[in-house]
C-alpha cells in the first residue's frame, strides 16, 4: 500500500475522471441485477462478477498514462485493462469478492488507485466472515494485490453512511486477451497500455526467483534514484531529460490536449511534474523508459516537427513510408526517436527496435505468434494447407516463457491418442479449439517433476540497447499487412542482468532454436492442443457420467417413467409421491394388490360357502405376532425343483406381476457379481431351509394344512425333505419348489425357464385362492392348463388362509425390495419407502379382512 503514490495530483485526476469519464459509466449487472455502483471498463472482453463486459479499446489518455506510470514507477505488469468504479457516496459499496476471473490467470497482480473520498478497504480469508485486514484507502493511494491474494482472500469496500463525497477507484488488470490477431485493436482502436516502456520482463510468481528478481529491480531503482539525486542537485527534473527521451507522457498530453481542453492539459502537465518517478540512467541516450514528465521546449518542438499524433489519430501511412525508405544514420536516429515517441501511432502498440541502431528494422506487430510457423509437416498441413479447417488455435499476443520442460514420456501417447487418431478418422470437429485454455502441465524443476501453470509474461518490451538481452530476431519473416515484418521472441525465464548477449537458444522441449515455451515450438503446440483436448474429453466424460447417473434407477436402463408407465421423464420424488396413491402398482401392485383383492375374494368365497366350519386358528397366533409364519411365508422352502416344465402357469391375471418379478430378478442377477450371487444364493437356501425346518411346524402345527398336491408329494424329492415335511400328507407343492428355484437360483434366466418363472408367479396367488375362487377368477386358464396344469388344479385345500397369505406375500415383497436394495437396484431410501408401503398395504388388507368378518378362525390363517 502506497498512501500517497500520486502525490498531490489526485484532485486533477479526479476532475478528469468526473469531467470526461464518469459520463460513460454504467451499472454493471451481476446475477441479472444492476449494481448500484457505476463502472467504466477499458480493455478486452472481461467476465466481471459472472457477467460479461464487452471490450473497450478506446482508452482515455489519463488511464493510459496511469497504466504506464504504474509500469515504470512500480515495475508492475503492462496492464491491458482497467476497471473504474464510481462510488457516488458512502451508500455505494462493493461487496465481498475476489478478483479471480479466469481471464486474469492464477495469482494476478492488480493495482488499485483510489481517488476522492477515503474509504475503508477490508480483506478476509475466503470462507470466513471475520475481517482480517483493513486499510483506509486515501485519495491518491496505490494498493497492489498480487500473489495468492485473490485465491485466498476476499475484499470489499463496505457502505459507510458518514461518507458524502465521490470516490473513484481504478483497478488495473492484465487479462488474457483471447482475440485472434485480426480481432485485436489496430491503429486508432489500439490499446495504448500494451505500449512497452522498458525491457525488464517481470513475472508475478511468488517463487524465490521472482522475489529475487523483484529485489534486484528494487535495488536497481534505488541505485538510479540515488544517482539521479546526486546528479540533479539544483536542477529542475525536467531539464534532466535526455533529448531523445521524448516521453510518452508528452504524447499522452498532446493526445489529451486534442481531446480535451488546454486547462486539462496544464493540469496533467502539472500532475506529471509531481508524479515524476525515477530517472533513467543518464548515460543511456537510447533508453526508452517513459516517464510522466513535463515536456521541455525542445521536446515540444520535436514533437511538432515529427508530427506526433495521438491515439485517435493514427499515422499508419507516415510510419509505413518511413519504414519503406532507406535510412541514413541521422534518419535512423530520427526514426528511433519517432518510434519511441509515438506510442499512439498505428503500430506503436507493438513497436520493435533492433539492438543495432545502424540497421533500422521495420517495426512490426509482434507478441502474437503466427501458428503456421510450425515446421512439422503435420502441423504444416493443418495450418497451412488448411486441410482441417476445423482446428483453429487462436494466436495470443502474450508470450509464455519459462524454464518449463514438457515431460516427453507421456507426450507421444497423448499425441497419438488425441491428435493423430482423430485426424486420421477426421473426427476433429468435436475438438475444435477456439480459445487457448490455461492448463496445468508437468514441468521439471531440478530433478522433480511438478505441475504448474505456464508462466505468462508481459509482452515483449523493446529497447534498443537492451534488446539482445531478452529478445532474438526470429528467422521467420512474416508478411503482415503487406510488409515483411521482423518478429522477435522472448527468451526463456531470465533476469535481464544475468542474460548473456548473443545468446543462442536451444529449446529444452524440442531442441529447436527458440526459447522454451515459445509458441513456435512444435512440442508446445502439441502440448497445448493435447491439454485442450484432454480438458474437452474430461468435460465430455463428466457429462456422460452425469447423464448415465441420472438415467440410473431401480430399473437399470429403463427410465423411471417407463417403469411406472408414465409418459416422459419421472423423478424419484414424483415416483414416490404417487406411490401412495397407486402409481406404485407397476412395482408392487401385482404382489400386494392382486393378492389383497384375492384375499378379500377368498374370504368372501369362504364365508359364502361356509358349509364346513372353519378350522381352528392356532391358539396363540395373531397376524402381527406371528413372525415365524411371516418368515416362512416370505421365504418358501428352497427345494430341488421338480420337473418344472411339468408345472403349468395358471392364468390368474397376474402377467404384470410376472413381468415385474422377472425384471427384478434379471436385473438383480446381472448386477451382482458371480461370487456374490453364489454367496447370497447359498445363504438364502440355508435360511429358507432353516426357517422351514424350525418354524413351519410351530407356525402351522397342523400338518394337514400343508397338504400339497398329490403329484408333488410323489416327486422324487420327497425323500430329501426334512422329517416334518415328510409328515405332510401331500408333500411340497410343485409350484412352490419351482418358484423357489426360479426366484432364487441366479443362474436361472426366466427366459430360459419360463415354466419355472410362471410357476413362481403362480405360487403367489394359487394358495390365496381357494379352488372356488381360483376357478371363479380364471377358470378357463386353470382348467385348460396343459399337462401338469392338472397338478395345480388338483391342489388340496388352501395352504394358507387369507391372513397368512397376506403376510406371506408381503414378506415376499419385502424380500424383493431387500434384494433390490442390496443389489443396488435402488437406493436404501427407496427400498425403505417401498417397504413402508408394503407394511401399510398389509395393515390395510388385514383390517379390510377384519371389516369383512374374515378375521377369525383358522380359515383366516
Ligand atoms: O474500490 C475498491 O477499492 C475496490 C474495487 C474492487 O475490488 C474491484 O473493482 O474489484
Ligand atoms: Fe476487487
Amino acid at each position: 500500500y502506497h498512501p500517497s503514490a500520486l502525490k498531490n495530483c489526485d484532485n486533477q485526476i479526479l476532475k478528469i475522471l468526473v469531467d470526461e469519464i464518469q459520463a460513460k459509466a454504467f451499472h454493471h449487472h451481476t446475477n441479472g441485477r444492476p449494481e448500484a455502483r457505476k463502472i467504466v471498463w477499458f480493455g478486452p472482453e472481461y467476465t466481471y462478477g459472472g457477467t460479461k463486459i464487452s471490450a473497450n479499446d478506446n482508452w482515455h489518455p489519463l488511464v493510459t498514462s496511469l497504466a504506464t506510470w504504474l509500469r515504470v514507477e512500480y515495475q508492475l505488469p503492462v496492464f491491458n485493462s482497467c476497471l473504474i468504479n464510481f462510488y457516488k457516496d458512502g451508500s455505494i459499496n462493493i461487496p465481498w469478492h475476489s478478483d479471480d476471473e479466469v481471464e486474469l490467470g492464477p495469482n494476478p497482480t492488480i493495482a488499485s488507485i483510489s481517488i476522492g473520498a477515503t474509504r475503508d478497504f477490508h480483506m478476509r480469508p475466503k470462507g470466513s466472515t471475520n475481517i482480517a485486514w483493513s486499510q483506509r484507502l486515501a485519495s491518491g493511494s496505490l494498493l497492489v494485490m498480487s500473489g495468492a491474494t485473490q485465491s485466498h482472500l476476499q475484499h470489499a469496500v463496505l457502505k459507510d453512511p458518514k461518507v458524502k463525497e465521490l470516490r473513484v477507484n481504478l483497478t488495473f488488470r492484465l487479462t488474457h486477451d483471447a482475440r485472434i490477431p485480426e480481432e485485436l485493436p489496430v491503429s486508432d482502436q489500439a490499446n495504448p497500455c500494451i505500449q512497452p516502456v522498458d525491457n525488464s520482463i517481470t513475472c508475478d510468481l511468488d517463487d524465490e526467483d521472482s522475489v529475487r528478481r523483484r529485489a534486484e529491480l528494487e535495488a536497481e531503482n534505488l541505485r538510479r534514484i540515488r544517482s539521479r539525486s546526486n546528479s540533479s542537485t539544483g536542477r529542475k527534473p525536467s531539464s534532466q531529460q535526455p533529448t531523445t527521451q521524448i516521453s510518452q507522457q508528452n504524447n499522452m498530453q498532446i493526445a489529451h490536449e486534442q481531446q480535451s481542453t488546454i486547462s486539462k492539459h496544464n493540469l496533467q502537465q502539472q500532475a506529471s511534474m509531481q508524479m515524476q518517478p525515477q530517472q533513467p540512467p543518464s548515460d543511456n541516450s537510447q533508453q526508452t523508459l517513459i516517464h510522466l514528465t513535463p515536456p521541455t521546449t525542445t521536446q515540444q518542438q520535436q514533437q511538432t516537427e515529427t508530427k506526433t499524433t495521438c491515439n485517435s489519430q493514427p499515422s499508419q501511412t507516415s510510419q509505413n513510408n518511413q519504414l519503406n525508405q532507406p535510412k541514413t544514420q541521422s534518419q535512423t536516429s530520427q526514426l528511433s526517436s519517432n518510434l519511441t515517441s509515438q506510442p499512439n501511432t498505428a503500430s506503436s502498440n507493438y513497436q520493435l527496435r533492433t539492438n543495432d541502431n545502424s540497421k533500422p528494422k521495420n517495426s512490426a506487430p509482434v507478441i502474437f505468434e503466427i501458428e503456421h510457423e510450425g515446421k512439422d509437416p503435420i502441423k504444416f498441413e493443418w495450418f497451412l494447407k488448411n486441410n482441417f479447417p476445423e482446428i483453429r488455435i487462436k494466436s495470443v499476443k502474450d508470450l509464455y516463457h519459462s524454464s518449463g520442460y514438457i515431460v516427453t514420456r507421456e507426450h507421444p501417447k497423448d499425441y497419438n491418442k488425441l491428435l493423430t487418431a482423430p485426424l486420421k478418422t477426421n473426427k476433429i470437429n468435436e475438438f475444435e479449439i477456439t480459445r487457448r485454455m490455461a492448463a496445468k502441465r508437468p514441468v521439471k524443476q531440478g530433478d522433480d517433476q511438478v505441475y504448474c501453470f505456464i508462466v505468462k509474461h508481459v509482452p515483449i518490451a523493446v529497447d534498443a540497447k537492451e534488446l539482445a538481452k531478452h529478445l532474438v530476431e526470429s528467422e521467420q519473416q512474416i508478411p503482415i499487412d503487406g510488409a515483411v515484418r521482423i518478429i522477435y521472441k522472448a527468451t526463456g525465464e531470465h533476469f535481464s542482468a544475468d542474460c548473456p548477449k548473443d545468446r543462442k537458444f536451444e529449446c529444452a522441449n524440442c531442441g529447436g532454436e527458440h526459447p522454451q515455451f515459445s509458441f513456435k515450438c512444435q512440442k508446445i503446440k502439441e502440448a497445448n492442443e493435447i491439454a485442450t483436448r484432454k480438458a474437452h474429453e474430461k468435460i465430455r466424460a463428466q457429462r456422460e457420467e452425469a447423464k448415465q447417473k441420472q438415467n440410473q434407477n431401480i430399473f437399470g436402463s429403463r427410465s423411471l417413467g417407463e417403469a411406472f408407465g408414465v409418459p416422459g421423464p419421472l423423478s424419484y420424488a414424483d415416483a414416490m409421491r404417487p406411490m401412495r396413491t397407486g402409481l406404485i402398482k407397476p412395482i408392487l401392485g401385482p404382489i400386494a394388490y392382486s393378492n389383497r383383492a384375492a384375499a378379500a375374494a377368498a374370504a368372501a368365497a369362504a364365508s359364502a360357502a361356509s358349509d364346513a366350519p372353519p378350522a381352528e386358528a392356532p391358539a396363540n397366533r395373531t397376524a402381527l405376532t406371528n413372525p415365524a409364519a411371516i418368515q416362512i411365508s416370505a421365504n418358501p422352502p428352497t427345494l430341488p425343483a421338480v420337473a418344472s416344465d411339468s408345472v403349468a402357469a395358471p392364468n390368474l391375471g397376474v402377467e404384470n406381476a410376472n413381468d415385474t418379478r422377472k425384471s427384478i430378478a434379471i436385473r438383480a442377477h446381472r448386477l451382482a457379481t458371480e461370487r456374490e450371487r453364489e454367496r447370497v444364493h447359498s445363504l438364502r437356501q440355508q435360511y429358507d431351509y432353516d426357517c422351514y425346518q424350525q418354524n413351519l411346524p410351530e407356525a402351522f402345527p397342523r400338518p394337514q394344512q400343508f397338504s400339497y398336491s398329490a403329484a408333488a408329494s410323489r416327486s422324487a424329492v420327497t425323500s430329501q425333505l426334512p422329517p416334518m415335511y415328510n409328515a405332510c400328507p401331500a408333500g411340497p407343492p410343485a409350484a412352490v419348489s419351482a418358484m423357489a428355484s426360479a426366484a432364487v437360483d441366479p443362474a436361472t434366466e426366466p427366459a430360459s425357464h419360463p415354466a419355472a418363472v410362471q410357476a413362481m408367479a403362480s405360487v403367489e396367488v394359487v394358495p390365496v385362492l381357494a379352488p372356488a375362487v381360483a376357478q371363479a377368477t380364471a377358470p378357463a386358464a386353470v382348467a385348460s392348463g396343459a399337462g401338469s396344469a392338472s397338478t395345480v388344479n388338483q391342489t388340496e385345500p388352501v395352504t394358507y388362509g387369507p391372513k397368512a397369505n397376506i403376510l406371506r406375500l408381503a414378506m415376499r415383497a419385502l424380500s424383493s425390495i431387500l434384494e433390490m436394495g442390496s443389489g443396488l437396484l435402488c437406493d436404501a431410501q427407496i427400498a425403505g419407502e417401498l417397504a413402508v408401503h408394503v407394511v401399510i398395504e398389509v395393515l390395510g388388507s388385514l383390517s379390510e379382512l377384519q371389516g369383512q368378518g374374515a378375521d377369525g378362525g383358522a380359515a383366516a390363517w
Side-chain angles (χ1 to χ4, degrees):
Y1 175 64
H2 306 266
S4 55
L6 285 171
K7 308 280 179 339
N8 298 322
C9 55
D10 52 325
N11 281 336
Q12 287 96 331
I13 292 175
L14 183 62
K15 187 162 182 343
I16 297 172
L17 285 165
V18 170
D19 289 354
E20 296 175 31
I21 301 182
Q22 193 173 19
K24 296 194 173 74
F26 57 91
H27 293 285
H28 179 61
H29 282 64
T30 304
N31 300 327
R33 271 189 279 140
E35 285 167 1
R37 205 176 64 258
K38 277 186 154 186
I39 66 165
V40 171
W41 171 255
F42 298 105
E45 187 184 73
Y46 186 60
T47 316
Y48 184 58
T51 314
K52 286 237 171 334
I53 310 181
S54 13
N56 176 10
D57 300 314
N58 207 3
W59 285 63
H60 189 283
L62 169 71
V63 185
T64 309
S65 56
L66 284 171
T68 309
W69 169 73
L70 286 168
R71 172 81 182 93
V72 175
E73 178 69 20
Y74 293 97
Q75 283 80 45
L76 288 167
V78 178
F79 294 113
N80 70 343
S81 12
C82 176
L83 177 80
I84 308 184
N85 285 302
F86 290 88
Y87 302 84
K88 184 171 52 100
D89 52 34
S91 70
I92 306 294
N93 68 316
I94 185 163
W96 288 105
H97 70 283
S98 301
D99 295 309
D100 50 7
E101 282 80 18
V102 280
E103 287 99 325
L104 297 175
N107 298 335
T109 295
I110 297 174
S112 158
I113 294 175
S114 294
I115 312 274
T118 299
R119 296 285 292 265
D120 288 334
F121 180 88
H122 305 290
M123 280 193 157
R124 69 183 187 191
K126 281 185 179 173
S128 163
T129 49
N130 295 333
I131 292 174
W133 181 85
S134 295
Q135 174 66 52
R136 308 213 83 193
L137 295 186
S139 186
S141 69
L142 167 68
L143 176 77
V144 180
M145 297 183 274
S146 64
T149 311
Q150 306 302 334
S151 56
H152 288 117
L153 303 171
Q154 287 186 319
H155 54 269
V157 175
L158 304 175
K159 286 184 183 170
D160 185 350
K162 293 192 296 295
V163 178
K164 302 291 175 213
E165 297 83 35
L166 169 75
R167 168 177 180 263
V168 187
N169 174 261
L170 303 93
T171 44
F172 289 86
R173 301 149 195 245
L174 178 55
T175 66
H176 176 73
D177 192 337
R179 287 174 290 183
I180 54 175
E182 303 89 76
E183 291 174 350
L184 285 170
V186 287
S187 60
D188 58 328
Q189 284 289 295
N191 169 359
C193 282
I194 304 298
Q195 168 65 25
V197 290
D198 77 7
N199 57 359
S200 53
I201 294 179
T202 58
C203 151
D204 341 310
L205 286 188
D206 269 341
D207 59 17
E208 274 177 32
D209 263 57
S210 76
V211 171
R212 180 178 59 81
R213 275 198 299 279
R214 187 58 59 98
E216 287 181 60
L217 269 173
E218 276 168 15
E220 179 149 352
N221 282 345
L222 256 177
R223 235 181 11 253
R224 286 178 180 184
I225 290 163
R226 284 206 194 100
S227 76
R228 184 183 59 192
S229 55
N230 288 344
S231 64
S232 66
T233 323
R235 281 198 286 167
K236 272 188 174 179
S238 60
S239 63
Q240 295 165 29
Q241 300 296 321
T243 314
T244 50
Q245 191 193 339
I246 299 169
S247 77
Q248 181 179 14
Q249 178 62 16
N250 293 345
N251 297 313
M252 303 297 175
Q253 286 162 351
I254 289 180
H256 192 204
E257 194 173 1
Q258 287 166 341
Q259 293 181 0
S260 57
T261 62
I262 294 291
S263 67
K264 276 176 202 149
H265 169 91
N266 291 338
L267 279 176
Q268 195 172 2
Q269 190 171 350
Q270 190 189 339
S272 300
M273 293 179 76
Q274 289 160 339
M275 286 161 63
Q276 181 178 21
Q278 78 261 10
Q279 297 290 332
S282 55
D283 59 338
N284 184 357
S285 62
Q286 293 301 315
Q287 183 73 31
T288 55
L289 285 176
I290 293 172
H291 297 282
L292 303 174
T293 51
T296 60
T297 315
T298 330
Q299 287 164 349
Q300 281 168 340
Q301 279 166 0
Q302 190 167 357
Q303 284 162 12
T304 315
E305 281 160 17
T306 56
K307 296 194 172 28
T308 303
T309 52
C310 75
N311 186 29
S312 56
Q313 294 185 334
S315 63
Q316 176 73 60
T317 325
S318 81
Q319 173 123 1
N320 281 346
N321 288 342
Q322 278 177 339
L323 293 172
N324 294 334
Q325 285 161 7
K327 304 286 184 301
T328 63
Q329 187 72 33
S330 63
Q331 279 174 319
T332 303
S333 145
Q334 181 67 62
L335 168 62
S336 155
S337 297
N338 288 346
L339 289 174
T340 316
S341 63
Q342 293 182 355
N344 294 327
T345 52
S347 57
S348 65
N349 294 313
Y350 308 108
Q351 279 179 22
L352 273 183
R353 291 169 56 199
T354 72
N355 54 333
D356 181 354
N357 286 325
S358 65
K359 278 195 286 168
K361 302 284 183 183
N362 292 343
S363 103
V366 285
I367 316 302
F368 57 84
E369 293 277 339
I370 308 298
E371 291 294 346
H372 53 250
E373 278 178 74
K375 286 178 192 157
D376 184 293
I378 298 179
K379 275 288 186 187
F380 194 78
E381 279 185 4
W382 287 6
F383 297 106
L384 271 197
K385 292 190 184 165
N386 216 15
N387 276 351
F388 302 100
E390 302 90 329
I391 292 191
R392 203 175 64 144
I393 297 183
K394 286 190 176 182
S395 303
V396 291
K397 60 184 169 42
D398 299 306
L399 283 184
Y400 294 137
H401 59 184
S402 82
S403 53
Y405 292 77
I406 293 178
V407 177
T408 48
R409 199 165 18 86
E410 282 294 307
H411 196 263
K413 205 175 83 194
D414 291 340
Y415 179 87
N416 281 331
K417 187 170 154 236
L418 294 160
L419 297 184
T420 322
L423 271 176
K424 278 185 191 145
T425 56
N426 272 3
K427 277 191 189 159
I428 44 177
N429 300 18
E430 38 193 302
F431 293 123
E432 187 175 354
I433 297 165
T434 51
R435 106 184 0 234
R436 189 175 294 285
M437 299 171 74
K440 263 189 180 177
R441 80 157 53 109
V443 298
K444 224 170 168 189
Q445 279 194 355
D447 291 336
D448 300 324
Q449 275 174 14
V450 294
Y451 280 83
C452 70
F453 283 101
I454 303 162
V455 180
K456 195 161 85 172
H457 287 260
V458 296
I460 286 183
V462 183
D463 175 74
K465 279 275 159 85
E466 302 282 322
L467 182 63
K469 289 184 181 175
H470 300 287
L471 306 173
V472 282
E473 198 176 302
S474 163
E475 64 273 23
Q476 299 270 341
Q477 294 205 332
I478 300 160
I480 296 167
D481 297 340
V484 172
R485 313 282 187 167
I486 309 295
I487 305 294
Y488 293 89
K489 308 291 178 189
T491 68
E493 191 175 357
H494 58 274
F495 179 64
S496 61
D498 305 334
C499 194
K501 283 196 167 141
D502 304 325
R503 180 175 163 177
K504 276 260 180 291
F505 294 108
E506 191 187 332
C507 172
N509 296 316
C510 76
E513 271 196 36
H514 56 75
Q516 282 156 232
F517 278 61
S518 155
F519 284 152
K520 191 173 135 192
C521 174
Q522 189 56 34
K523 281 266 188 311
I524 295 291
K525 286 181 184 175
E526 285 165 6
N528 282 342
E529 286 193 32
I530 286 169
T532 310
R533 286 173 191 205
K534 272 187 165 172
H536 278 235
E537 283 207 334
K538 198 171 161 198
I539 291 167
R540 214 181 24 215
Q542 281 172 350
R543 283 204 188 126
E544 194 58 36
E545 200 185 315
K547 212 163 134 194
Q548 277 180 8
K549 228 175 182 171
Q550 204 178 357
N551 285 341
Q552 232 174 31
N553 52 57
I554 58 171
F555 290 94
S557 59
R558 272 165 78 195
S559 73
L560 262 187
E562 273 178 295
F564 280 83
V566 171
L570 180 68
S571 70
Y572 274 122
D574 285 344
M576 296 316 293
R577 231 171 274 132
M579 180 186 82
R580 298 179 187 102
T581 57
L583 189 54
I584 196 65
K585 271 186 199 171
I587 301 179
L588 290 180
I591 301 173
Y593 259 75
S594 63
N595 288 295
R596 182 165 118 186
S607 64
S610 56
D611 298 347
E616 279 292 299
N620 55 349
R621 308 273 178 248
T622 67
L624 295 176
T625 58
N626 199 342
I630 293 171
Q631 274 177 335
I632 194 57
S633 55
N635 300 286
T638 303
L639 300 169
V642 290
S644 56
D645 44 7
S646 71
V647 181
N651 180 357
L652 298 175
V654 290
E655 291 85 354
N656 282 346
N658 288 351
D659 286 345
T660 307
R661 274 188 292 272
K662 251 192 257 177
S663 59
I664 287 174
I666 292 167
R667 269 185 292 279
H669 296 159
R670 282 194 186 142
L671 282 174
T673 63
E674 199 60 38
R675 183 176 295 184
E676 181 64 5
R677 275 183 279 174
E678 273 173 21
R679 195 179 67 81
V680 170
H681 181 50
S682 69
L683 275 177
R684 186 146 177 198
Q685 276 190 324
Q686 187 60 42
Y687 177 70
D688 285 347
Y689 183 83
D690 289 347
C691 283
Y692 186 84
Q693 200 174 30
Q694 293 161 21
N695 302 326
L696 190 63
E698 189 200 351
F700 301 93
R702 289 172 303 160
Q704 63 275 18
Q705 285 278 317
F706 292 89
S707 51
Y708 297 108
S709 76
S713 72
R714 284 189 290 278
S715 78
V717 302
T718 316
S719 60
Q720 295 171 28
L721 295 177
M724 179 281 310
Y725 211 127
N726 281 331
C728 297
V736 167
S737 309
M739 175 202 76
S741 67
V744 176
D745 184 355
T748 303
E749 284 282 341
S752 59
H753 295 270
V757 173
Q758 280 164 341
M760 170 191 84
S762 70
V763 81
E764 299 291 338
V765 181
V766 167
V768 176
L769 303 172
V773 177
Q775 277 157 17
T777 315
V782 174
S784 67
S788 55
S790 56
T791 309
V792 175
N793 217 14
Q794 289 163 15
T795 301
E796 297 274 328
V798 180
T799 305
Y800 303 122
K803 278 191 178 178
N805 198 57
I806 287 168
L807 294 174
R808 183 180 71 82
L809 296 169
M811 288 310 289
R812 288 271 317 144
L814 288 173
S815 142
S816 285
I817 291 165
L818 202 66
E819 198 175 347
M820 283 157 62
S822 65
L824 300 178
L825 282 166
C826 66
D827 64 29
Q829 191 188 340
I830 290 178
E833 287 214 36
L834 292 174
V836 168
H837 175 73
V838 169
V839 170
I840 292 168
E841 287 287 336
V842 166
L843 294 176
S845 298
L846 290 175
S847 67
E848 242 174 66
L849 278 181
Q850 201 121 348
Q852 290 162 4
D855 56 326
W861 282 104

